[in-house]
Amino acid sequence: DLISDSYIVVNEEQEIIDYNQTFLETFGDMVTIRRKAPLLGVLAAASASFNQGKITESIGHAKTQHSHIAFEEHICGPDFDKHFEIEIIPIYSDKKYLGSILLFKDVTEYKRHIEIIKRNQEILLEKERMASLGHMIGGIAHNLKTPIMSLSGGIEALHDLITEYRESISDPKVTIEDHIEIAKEMEEWLNKMKPYCRYMSD
């Protein structure tokens, strides 16, 4: 009665032969338990969601394998929502099966802590991912800044040359050589700009 885990002891016919005070304190409002009552009947009549099939199957496996079996179960009821690790321990005496102990270990807090750790881990991973993405975008922006500034300078130079060319059309002092010189400068600027376009495209 002093242990913190709930337990039920059943005989070979799966009739309840014992249980502790902790079981009554944990499940008393949902389960009407008495000695000599069939375990499945007690669980079926409970207002909590015991997985009777899993429990019966596990008792059978533990009996045939001569070893304990543990599984996790989420048990719900009115104003009750807890996670338990249910351990089935077969009892043998001189190789004769006498019954099983069903131990209900409350792991609700542990589960909640694991969920909080998982959530925090996901948040941390997302923050790291966003930070990496920020660094990557910063690097891309930095790498694009130089060619964009160069292209911007080239466009301004071409704009000035177009203005100069437009004004020179009606000027009688401007020779064909001058027009060729302006066209050559325009071409030079275009040739300077092409590698920056290729770099950004790559």
Side-chain angles (χ1 to χ4, degrees), residues 103-167:
L103 195 68
F104 295 78
K105 187 179 288 227
D106 188 347
V107 292
T108 309
E109 283 304 306
Y110 170 76
K111 286 280 288 181
R112 284 189 185 135
H113 288 180
I114 292 293
E115 280 168 22
I116 289 165
I117 288 166
K118 275 185 186 171
R119 268 201 307 273
N120 289 344
Q121 199 172 23
E122 283 166 13
I123 290 165
L124 203 63
L125 285 170
E126 185 62 16
K127 281 183 179 174
E128 282 178 18
R129 196 180 70 79
M130 293 305 286
S132 298
L133 193 61
H135 287 309
M136 186 180 78
I137 290 167
I140 291 168
H142 177 76
N143 285 351
L144 288 177
K145 216 171 188 179
T146 304
I148 287 169
M149 293 296 286
S150 301
L151 285 170
S152 213
I155 289 164
E156 278 300 312
L158 280 171
H159 186 266
D160 291 344
L161 287 167
I162 289 165
T163 305
E164 187 184 334
Y165 182 74
R166 193 177 285 123
E167 288 170 359

Coordinates of all heavy atoms in Angstrom, one line a residue, residues 103-167:
L103 N 1.2 -4.1 -13.1 CA 1.7 -2.9 -12.4 C 1.4 -1.6 -13.3 O 1.8 -1.6 -14.5 CB 3.2 -3.1 -12.2 CG 3.9 -2.1 -11.2 CD1 3.5 -2.3 -9.8 CD2 5.4 -2.3 -11.3
F104 N 0.8 -0.6 -12.7 CA 0.5 0.6 -13.5 C 1.4 1.7 -13.0 O 1.2 2.2 -11.9 CB -1.0 1.0 -13.2 CG -2.0 0.0 -13.8 CD1 -2.3 -1.2 -13.1 CD2 -2.6 0.3 -15.0 CE1 -3.2 -2.1 -13.6 CE2 -3.6 -0.6 -15.5 CZ -3.9 -1.8 -14.8
K105 N 2.3 2.1 -13.8 CA 3.3 3.1 -13.4 C 2.9 4.4 -14.1 O 2.8 4.5 -15.3 CB 4.7 2.8 -13.8 CG 5.8 3.7 -13.3 CD 7.2 3.2 -13.8 CE 7.5 2.0 -12.9 NZ 8.9 2.1 -12.4
D106 N 2.5 5.5 -13.3 CA 2.1 6.8 -13.9 C 3.3 7.5 -14.5 O 4.2 7.9 -13.8 CB 1.5 7.6 -12.8 CG 0.8 8.9 -13.3 OD1 1.1 9.2 -14.5 OD2 0.1 9.5 -12.6
V107 N 3.3 7.6 -15.9 CA 4.4 8.3 -16.6 C 3.9 9.6 -17.2 O 4.5 10.1 -18.2 CB 5.0 7.4 -17.6 CG1 5.8 6.2 -17.0 CG2 4.0 6.8 -18.6
T108 N 2.8 10.1 -16.7 CA 2.2 11.3 -17.3 C 3.2 12.5 -17.3 O 3.4 13.2 -18.4 CB 0.9 11.7 -16.6 OG1 0.1 10.6 -16.5 CG2 0.1 12.8 -17.3
E109 N 3.8 12.8 -16.2 CA 4.7 13.9 -16.1 C 5.9 13.7 -17.0 O 6.3 14.6 -17.7 CB 5.2 14.1 -14.6 CG 4.1 14.8 -13.7 CD 3.7 16.1 -14.2 OE1 4.5 17.0 -14.5 OE2 2.4 16.3 -14.4
Y110 N 6.4 12.5 -17.0 CA 7.5 12.2 -17.9 C 7.2 12.4 -19.3 O 7.9 13.0 -20.1 CB 7.9 10.7 -17.7 CG 8.9 10.2 -18.7 CD1 10.2 10.5 -18.6 CD2 8.5 9.3 -19.7 CE1 11.2 10.0 -19.5 CE2 9.4 8.8 -20.6 CZ 10.7 9.2 -20.5 OH 11.6 8.7 -21.5
K111 N 6.0 12.0 -19.8 CA 5.5 12.2 -21.1 C 5.4 13.7 -21.4 O 5.8 14.1 -22.5 CB 4.1 11.6 -21.3 CG 4.1 10.1 -21.4 CD 4.5 9.5 -22.8 CE 3.5 9.7 -23.9 NZ 3.9 9.2 -25.2
R112 N 4.9 14.4 -20.5 CA 4.7 15.9 -20.7 C 6.1 16.6 -20.8 O 6.3 17.4 -21.7 CB 3.9 16.5 -19.5 CG 2.4 16.2 -19.7 CD 1.6 17.0 -18.7 NE 0.2 16.5 -18.8 CZ -0.6 16.3 -17.8 NH1 -0.1 16.4 -16.5 NH2 -1.8 15.9 -17.9
H113 N 7.0 16.1 -20.0 CA 8.4 16.7 -20.1 C 9.0 16.4 -21.4 O 9.7 17.2 -22.0 CB 9.3 16.1 -18.9 CG 8.9 16.7 -17.6 ND1 9.5 16.4 -16.4 CD2 7.9 17.6 -17.3 CE1 9.0 17.0 -15.4 NE2 8.0 17.8 -15.9
I114 N 8.8 15.1 -21.9 CA 9.4 14.7 -23.2 C 8.8 15.6 -24.3 O 9.5 16.0 -25.2 CB 9.1 13.2 -23.5 CG1 9.9 12.3 -22.5 CG2 9.4 12.8 -24.9 CD1 11.4 12.4 -22.7
E115 N 7.4 15.8 -24.2 CA 6.7 16.6 -25.3 C 7.3 18.0 -25.2 O 7.5 18.6 -26.3 CB 5.2 16.6 -25.0 CG 4.6 15.3 -25.5 CD 3.1 15.2 -25.1 OE1 2.5 16.2 -24.7 OE2 2.6 14.0 -25.1
I116 N 7.5 18.6 -24.0 CA 8.0 20.0 -23.9 C 9.4 20.0 -24.5 O 9.8 20.9 -25.3 CB 8.0 20.4 -22.4 CG1 6.6 20.7 -21.9 CG2 8.9 21.7 -22.2 CD1 6.4 20.8 -20.4
I117 N 10.3 19.0 -24.2 CA 11.6 18.9 -24.7 C 11.6 18.9 -26.2 O 12.3 19.6 -26.9 CB 12.4 17.7 -24.1 CG1 12.7 18.0 -22.6 CG2 13.7 17.4 -24.9 CD1 13.2 16.8 -21.9
K118 N 10.7 18.0 -26.8 CA 10.5 17.9 -28.3 C 10.1 19.2 -28.9 O 10.7 19.6 -29.9 CB 9.5 16.8 -28.6 CG 10.1 15.4 -28.6 CD 9.0 14.4 -29.1 CE 9.5 13.0 -29.0 NZ 8.4 12.0 -29.2
R119 N 9.1 19.9 -28.2 CA 8.7 21.2 -28.8 C 9.8 22.2 -28.8 O 10.0 22.9 -29.7 CB 7.5 21.7 -28.0 CG 6.1 21.3 -28.5 CD 5.0 22.1 -28.0 NE 4.9 22.3 -26.6 CZ 4.3 21.4 -25.8 NH1 3.7 20.4 -26.3 NH2 4.3 21.6 -24.5
N120 N 10.5 22.2 -27.6 CA 11.6 23.2 -27.5 C 12.7 22.9 -28.5 O 13.3 23.8 -29.1 CB 12.2 23.2 -26.1 CG 11.3 23.8 -25.1 OD1 10.4 24.5 -25.4 ND2 11.5 23.6 -23.8
Q121 N 12.9 21.6 -28.8 CA 14.0 21.2 -29.7 C 13.5 21.6 -31.1 O 14.4 22.1 -31.9 CB 14.1 19.6 -29.7 CG 15.4 19.1 -30.3 CD 15.6 17.7 -30.0 OE1 14.6 16.9 -29.8 NE2 16.8 17.2 -30.1
E122 N 12.2 21.4 -31.5 CA 11.7 21.9 -32.8 C 11.9 23.4 -32.9 O 12.3 23.8 -34.0 CB 10.3 21.4 -32.9 CG 10.1 20.0 -33.2 CD 8.6 19.5 -33.1 OE1 7.7 20.3 -32.9 OE2 8.4 18.3 -33.0
I123 N 11.6 24.1 -31.9 CA 11.7 25.6 -31.9 C 13.1 26.0 -32.1 O 13.4 26.9 -32.9 CB 11.1 26.2 -30.6 CG1 9.6 26.1 -30.6 CG2 11.5 27.7 -30.5 CD1 8.9 26.3 -29.2
L124 N 14.0 25.3 -31.4 CA 15.5 25.6 -31.5 C 16.0 25.3 -32.9 O 16.7 26.1 -33.5 CB 16.2 24.7 -30.5 CG 17.6 25.2 -30.1 CD1 17.5 26.6 -29.4 CD2 18.3 24.2 -29.1
L125 N 15.5 24.1 -33.5 CA 15.9 23.8 -34.8 C 15.4 24.8 -35.9 O 16.1 25.1 -36.8 CB 15.4 22.4 -35.2 CG 16.2 21.2 -34.6 CD1 15.4 19.9 -34.8 CD2 17.6 21.1 -35.1
E126 N 14.2 25.2 -35.6 CA 13.6 26.2 -36.5 C 14.3 27.6 -36.5 O 14.6 28.2 -37.5 CB 12.1 26.4 -36.2 CG 11.3 27.4 -37.1 CD 11.2 26.9 -38.6 OE1 11.5 25.7 -38.8 OE2 10.9 27.7 -39.4
K127 N 14.7 27.9 -35.2 CA 15.5 29.2 -35.1 C 16.9 29.1 -35.8 O 17.3 30.0 -36.4 CB 15.7 29.5 -33.6 CG 14.5 30.1 -32.9 CD 14.8 30.4 -31.5 CE 13.6 31.1 -30.8 NZ 13.8 31.3 -29.4
E128 N 17.5 27.9 -35.6 CA 18.8 27.7 -36.2 C 18.7 27.7 -37.8 O 19.5 28.2 -38.5 CB 19.4 26.3 -35.8 CG 20.0 26.4 -34.4 CD 20.6 25.0 -34.0 OE1 20.8 24.1 -34.8 OE2 20.8 24.9 -32.8
R129 N 17.6 27.1 -38.2 CA 17.3 27.0 -39.7 C 17.1 28.5 -40.2 O 17.7 28.8 -41.2 CB 16.1 26.2 -40.0 CG 15.9 25.8 -41.4 CD 14.7 24.9 -41.6 NE 13.4 25.7 -41.5 CZ 12.9 26.5 -42.4 NH1 13.6 26.6 -43.6 NH2 11.8 27.2 -42.2
M130 N 16.3 29.2 -39.5 CA 16.1 30.6 -39.9 C 17.4 31.5 -39.8 O 17.6 32.3 -40.7 CB 15.0 31.3 -39.0 CG 13.6 30.7 -39.2 SD 13.0 30.6 -40.9 CE 12.6 32.4 -41.1
A131 N 18.2 31.2 -38.8 CA 19.5 31.9 -38.7 C 20.4 31.6 -39.9 O 21.0 32.4 -40.5 CB 20.2 31.6 -37.4
S132 N 20.4 30.3 -40.2 CA 21.2 29.8 -41.4 C 20.7 30.4 -42.6 O 21.5 30.9 -43.5 CB 21.2 28.3 -41.5 OG 21.7 27.7 -40.4
L133 N 19.4 30.5 -42.8 CA 18.8 31.1 -43.9 C 19.1 32.6 -44.0 O 19.4 33.1 -45.1 CB 17.2 30.9 -43.9 CG 16.4 31.1 -45.1 CD1 16.8 30.2 -46.3 CD2 14.9 31.0 -44.8
G134 N 19.1 33.2 -42.8 CA 19.4 34.6 -42.8 C 20.9 34.9 -43.2 O 21.1 35.8 -44.0
H135 N 21.8 34.0 -42.7 CA 23.2 34.1 -43.1 C 23.4 33.9 -44.6 O 24.1 34.6 -45.3 CB 24.1 33.1 -42.4 CG 24.3 33.5 -40.9 ND1 24.7 34.7 -40.5 CD2 24.1 32.7 -39.8 CE1 24.8 34.7 -39.2 NE2 24.4 33.6 -38.7
M136 N 22.6 32.9 -45.1 CA 22.7 32.6 -46.6 C 22.2 33.7 -47.4 O 22.9 34.2 -48.4 CB 22.0 31.3 -46.9 CG 22.1 30.8 -48.3 SD 21.2 29.3 -48.6 CE 19.5 30.0 -48.8
I137 N 21.1 34.3 -47.0 CA 20.5 35.4 -47.7 C 21.4 36.6 -47.7 O 21.6 37.3 -48.6 CB 19.0 35.7 -47.2 CG1 18.1 34.6 -47.6 CG2 18.5 37.0 -47.8 CD1 16.8 34.6 -47.0
G138 N 22.0 36.8 -46.5 CA 22.9 37.9 -46.3 C 24.1 37.8 -47.2 O 24.6 38.8 -47.9
G139 N 24.6 36.5 -47.4 CA 25.7 36.3 -48.3 C 25.4 36.5 -49.7 O 26.1 37.1 -50.5
I140 N 24.2 36.0 -50.1 CA 23.7 36.2 -51.5 C 23.5 37.7 -51.8 O 24.0 38.2 -52.8 CB 22.3 35.5 -51.7 CG1 22.6 34.0 -51.7 CG2 21.7 35.9 -53.0 CD1 21.3 33.2 -51.6
A141 N 22.9 38.5 -50.8 CA 22.7 39.9 -51.0 C 24.1 40.6 -51.1 O 24.2 41.5 -52.0 CB 22.0 40.5 -49.8
H142 N 25.1 40.2 -50.3 CA 26.4 40.8 -50.4 C 27.0 40.5 -51.7 O 27.6 41.4 -52.4 CB 27.3 40.3 -49.3 CG 28.7 40.8 -49.3 ND1 29.0 42.1 -48.9 CD2 29.8 40.2 -49.7 CE1 30.3 42.3 -49.0 NE2 30.8 41.1 -49.5
N143 N 26.9 39.3 -52.2 CA 27.5 38.9 -53.5 C 26.8 39.6 -54.7 O 27.4 39.8 -55.7 CB 27.4 37.4 -53.7 CG 28.5 36.7 -52.8 OD1 29.3 37.3 -52.2 ND2 28.4 35.3 -52.8
L144 N 25.5 39.9 -54.5 CA 24.8 40.5 -55.6 C 25.0 42.1 -55.6 O 24.8 42.7 -56.7 CB 23.3 40.2 -55.6 CG 22.9 38.8 -55.9 CD1 21.4 38.6 -55.7 CD2 23.3 38.4 -57.4
K145 N 25.4 42.6 -54.5 CA 25.5 44.1 -54.4 C 26.6 44.6 -55.3 O 26.3 45.6 -56.0 CB 25.9 44.4 -52.9 CG 25.3 45.7 -52.4 CD 25.6 45.8 -50.9 CE 24.8 46.9 -50.3 NZ 25.1 47.1 -48.9
T146 N 27.7 44.0 -55.4 CA 28.8 44.5 -56.3 C 28.4 44.5 -57.7 O 28.5 45.6 -58.4 CB 30.1 43.6 -56.1 OG1 30.4 43.6 -54.7 CG2 31.3 44.2 -56.9
P147 N 27.9 43.4 -58.3 CA 27.5 43.5 -59.7 C 26.3 44.5 -60.0 O 26.3 45.1 -61.0 CB 27.1 42.1 -60.1 CG 26.9 41.3 -58.8 CD 27.8 42.0 -57.8
I148 N 25.4 44.5 -59.0 CA 24.3 45.5 -59.2 C 24.8 46.9 -59.2 O 24.4 47.7 -60.1 CB 23.2 45.3 -58.1 CG1 22.4 44.0 -58.4 CG2 22.2 46.4 -58.1 CD1 21.6 43.5 -57.2
M149 N 25.7 47.2 -58.3 CA 26.3 48.6 -58.3 C 27.1 48.9 -59.6 O 27.0 50.0 -60.1 CB 27.3 48.7 -57.1 CG 26.5 48.7 -55.7 SD 25.4 50.1 -55.5 CE 26.5 51.4 -55.2
S150 N 27.8 47.9 -60.1 CA 28.6 48.0 -61.3 C 27.6 48.2 -62.5 O 27.9 49.1 -63.4 CB 29.4 46.8 -61.6 OG 30.3 46.6 -60.5
L151 N 26.5 47.4 -62.5 CA 25.5 47.6 -63.6 C 24.9 49.0 -63.5 O 24.7 49.6 -64.6 CB 24.5 46.5 -63.5 CG 24.9 45.1 -64.0 CD1 23.8 44.1 -63.6 CD2 25.1 45.1 -65.5
S152 N 24.6 49.4 -62.3 CA 24.0 50.7 -62.1 C 24.9 51.8 -62.6 O 24.4 52.7 -63.3 CB 23.8 50.9 -60.6 OG 22.6 51.6 -60.3
G153 N 26.2 51.7 -62.3 CA 27.2 52.7 -62.8 C 27.3 52.6 -64.3 O 27.4 53.7 -65.0
G154 N 27.2 51.4 -64.9 CA 27.3 51.3 -66.4 C 26.1 51.9 -67.1 O 26.2 52.6 -68.1
I155 N 24.9 51.7 -66.5 CA 23.7 52.3 -67.0 C 23.7 53.8 -67.0 O 23.4 54.5 -67.9 CB 22.4 51.8 -66.2 CG1 22.2 50.3 -66.6 CG2 21.2 52.6 -66.5 CD1 21.3 49.6 -65.6
E156 N 24.3 54.4 -65.9 CA 24.4 55.8 -65.8 C 25.4 56.4 -66.8 O 25.1 57.4 -67.5 CB 25.0 56.2 -64.4 CG 23.9 56.3 -63.3 CD 22.8 57.3 -63.5 OE1 23.2 58.4 -63.9 OE2 21.6 56.9 -63.4
A157 N 26.5 55.6 -67.0 CA 27.5 56.0 -68.0 C 26.9 56.0 -69.4 O 27.0 56.9 -70.2 CB 28.7 55.1 -68.0
L158 N 26.1 54.9 -69.7 CA 25.4 54.8 -71.0 C 24.4 56.0 -71.2 O 24.2 56.5 -72.3 CB 24.7 53.5 -71.2 CG 25.6 52.3 -71.6 CD1 24.8 51.0 -71.4 CD2 26.1 52.4 -73.0
H159 N 23.7 56.3 -70.1 CA 22.7 57.4 -70.2 C 23.4 58.7 -70.5 O 22.9 59.5 -71.4 CB 22.0 57.5 -68.8 CG 20.9 58.5 -68.8 ND1 21.1 59.8 -68.4 CD2 19.6 58.4 -69.1 CE1 19.9 60.4 -68.4 NE2 19.0 59.6 -68.9
D160 N 24.6 58.9 -69.9 CA 25.3 60.2 -70.2 C 25.8 60.2 -71.7 O 25.7 61.2 -72.3 CB 26.5 60.3 -69.3 CG 26.1 60.6 -67.8 OD1 25.0 60.9 -67.6 OD2 27.0 60.3 -66.9
L161 N 26.3 59.0 -72.1 CA 26.7 58.9 -73.5 C 25.6 59.1 -74.5 O 25.8 59.8 -75.6 CB 27.4 57.6 -73.8 CG 28.8 57.4 -73.1 CD1 29.2 55.9 -73.2 CD2 29.8 58.3 -73.8
I162 N 24.4 58.6 -74.2 CA 23.2 58.8 -75.1 C 22.9 60.3 -75.1 O 22.6 60.9 -76.2 CB 22.0 58.0 -74.6 CG1 22.3 56.5 -74.8 CG2 20.7 58.4 -75.2 CD1 21.4 55.5 -74.1
T163 N 22.9 61.0 -74.0 CA 22.6 62.4 -73.9 C 23.6 63.2 -74.8 O 23.3 64.0 -75.6 CB 22.6 62.9 -72.5 OG1 21.7 62.1 -71.7 CG2 22.2 64.4 -72.3
E164 N 24.9 62.8 -74.6 CA 26.0 63.4 -75.3 C 25.8 63.2 -76.9 O 26.0 64.1 -77.7 CB 27.3 62.8 -74.9 CG 28.6 63.5 -75.5 CD 29.9 62.9 -75.1 OE1 29.9 62.2 -74.0 OE2 30.8 63.0 -75.9
Y165 N 25.4 62.0 -77.2 CA 25.2 61.6 -78.6 C 24.0 62.4 -79.2 O 24.1 63.0 -80.3 CB 25.0 60.1 -78.8 CG 24.8 59.7 -80.2 CD1 26.0 59.6 -81.1 CD2 23.6 59.4 -80.7 CE1 25.8 59.3 -82.4 CE2 23.5 59.0 -82.0 CZ 24.6 58.9 -82.9 OH 24.4 58.6 -84.2
R166 N 22.9 62.5 -78.4 CA 21.8 63.2 -78.9 C 22.1 64.7 -79.2 O 21.6 65.2 -80.2 CB 20.6 63.1 -77.9 CG 19.3 63.5 -78.4 CD 18.1 63.3 -77.4 NE 17.8 61.9 -77.3 CZ 17.8 61.2 -76.1 NH1 18.1 61.8 -75.0 NH2 17.4 60.0 -76.1
E167 N 22.8 65.3 -78.3 CA 23.2 66.7 -78.4 C 24.2 66.9 -79.6 O 24.2 68.0 -80.2 CB 23.8 67.2 -77.1 CG 22.8 67.4 -76.0 CD 23.4 67.6 -74.6 OE1 24.7 67.7 -74.5 OE2 22.7 67.8 -73.6

